[in-house]
Amino acid sequence: MRIALVQVETTGDKKRNLEIIEPEIRDAASHGATLIVLPEATMYAFGQGRLDTQAEQLDGPFATALRSLAKELDVTIVAGMFRPADTKGKRNRVYNTALITGNGVHKGYDKIHTYDAFDFKESDNVKPGTELVTFTHEGAVVGVATCFDIRFPEQFKDLARLGAEVIVVPTSWADGDNKLDHWRALTVARALDAGVFIAAADQARPGGDHVDKPDGAPTGVGHSVIVSPTGQRLVEGGFNPGIIYGDIDTAEVARARKTLPLL
């Protein structure tokens, strides 16, 4: 299976974001990738305004545009978006959804663990999901998690118990002191915990290599990564936009779990 992680920096303009990602997805498909993972908040970046005014259902313009593209290219695309959820007090909340579309699948995973940490409270505007989600791609079971979920090992173990051999993780990882170290450690730890491949696509860091400090909103630190079930970083990006490719053999999952039977 060839996986592509499309590391981009999205904006507060949904139409512009589609314009940014479409050529990247086409490029990834032309290089043989069949599972193409984009970051959390691909549809609309954090810190750009109210999420409820931008939220769409899975039959809305953003999701259907990616469904059409996935069908045309014969690939599966995973990308972060926002859907209407509920009203809490005076706030209209949304779901932070990972869209999965292509090869007969069109559904979403709603992020379970909202980012209520490091002086940010995502749950003020985002309703937590409750259901684990998997799908099948090229005969392999693929689980889905989003960003802050990666700090919760039981979710990854539960996905593995549902059969997941690969877990994709769309992410918009907040920058800050030691945050890149956290990201690199956690992606490896979750692969080892669950005996799975982790394919985690983060937003590129605003400013790339030339930035002094984060602006406060969860944006990205880059370093999208594919980790093997034995904890090896097979491929890893840097801070800047780009496409990261990895070829994986899911037979490695059974071998890793036999050697280290943690489940």
Side-chain angles (χ1 to χ4, degrees):
M1 181 190 304
R2 171 160 277 201
I3 301 173
L5 309 177
V6 179
Q7 183 169 291
V8 292
E9 181 185 346
T10 56
T11 73
D13 183 327
K14 292 189 289 185
K15 182 179 179 181
R16 175 59 183 149
N17 292 335
L18 281 172
E19 292 170 350
I20 289 169
I21 65 175
E22 180 178 347
E24 300 297 303
I25 293 169
R26 290 187 180 279
D27 192 17
S30 73
H31 285 83
T34 61
L35 178 57
I36 301 173
V37 188
L38 293 97
E40 178 185 26
T42 294
M43 183 183 83
Y44 185 80
F46 286 112
Q48 301 298 310
R50 288 175 52 171
L51 299 178
D52 63 318
T53 62
Q54 305 298 322
E56 301 177 3
Q57 297 291 2
L58 296 180
D59 59 357
F62 179 82
T64 55
L66 290 188
R67 179 173 59 187
S68 296
L69 187 59
K71 182 177 181 181
E72 175 192 341
L73 299 174
D74 194 25
V75 298
T76 296
I77 298 169
V78 181
M81 61 176 290
F82 299 101
R83 298 189 305 112
D86 67 1
T87 299
K88 183 179 181 181
K90 296 182 178 181
R91 292 176 183 261
N92 298 320
R93 295 197 301 178
V94 301
Y95 288 114
N96 184 340
T97 299
L99 167 71
I100 307 120
T101 190
N103 293 301
V105 176
H106 188 76
K107 62 183 180 180
Y109 159 70
D110 298 327
K111 182 179 180 182
I112 291 173
H113 299 97
T114 52
Y115 180 56
D116 291 2
F118 295 99
D119 299 319
F120 192 85
K121 195 169 183 183
E122 186 180 13
S123 63
D124 282 346
N125 299 303
V126 174
K127 181 179 180 179
T130 59
E131 302 292 331
L132 298 176
V133 171
T134 66
F135 63 98
T136 301
H137 181 76
E138 296 185 357
V141 179
V142 181
V144 189
T146 298
C147 198
F148 196 57
D149 286 333
I150 208 161
R151 292 189 181 272
F152 298 85
E154 290 307 317
Q155 179 172 347
F156 289 74
K157 292 179 182 179
D158 287 344
L159 285 167
R161 293 183 183 106
L162 291 175
E165 298 157 289
V166 182
I167 299 178
V168 296
V169 192
T171 299
S172 184
W173 194 259
D175 204 347
D177 292 342
N178 303 315
K179 291 298 299 299
L180 177 56
D181 293 332
H182 292 196
W183 169 249
R184 299 186 83 229
L186 289 163
T187 48
V188 170
R190 295 299 81 84
L192 289 169
D193 290 336
V196 295
F197 286 95
I198 296 292
D202 191 18
Q203 293 261 353
R205 186 168 74 171
D209 294 322
H210 308 290
V211 66
D212 293 324
K213 62 181 180 179
D215 64 3
T219 50
V221 294
H223 290 265
S224 299
V225 66
I226 297 176
V227 184
S228 78
T230 56
Q232 295 174 294
R233 293 187 187 90
L234 301 177
V235 289
E236 183 174 359
F239 291 115
N240 297 307
I243 304 175
I244 296 93
Y245 295 96
D247 295 300
I248 68 168
D249 178 1
T250 55
E252 291 184 33
V253 171
R255 293 194 290 268
R257 291 177 181 173
K258 184 176 180 181
T259 302
L260 188 62
L262 297 180
L263 297 176

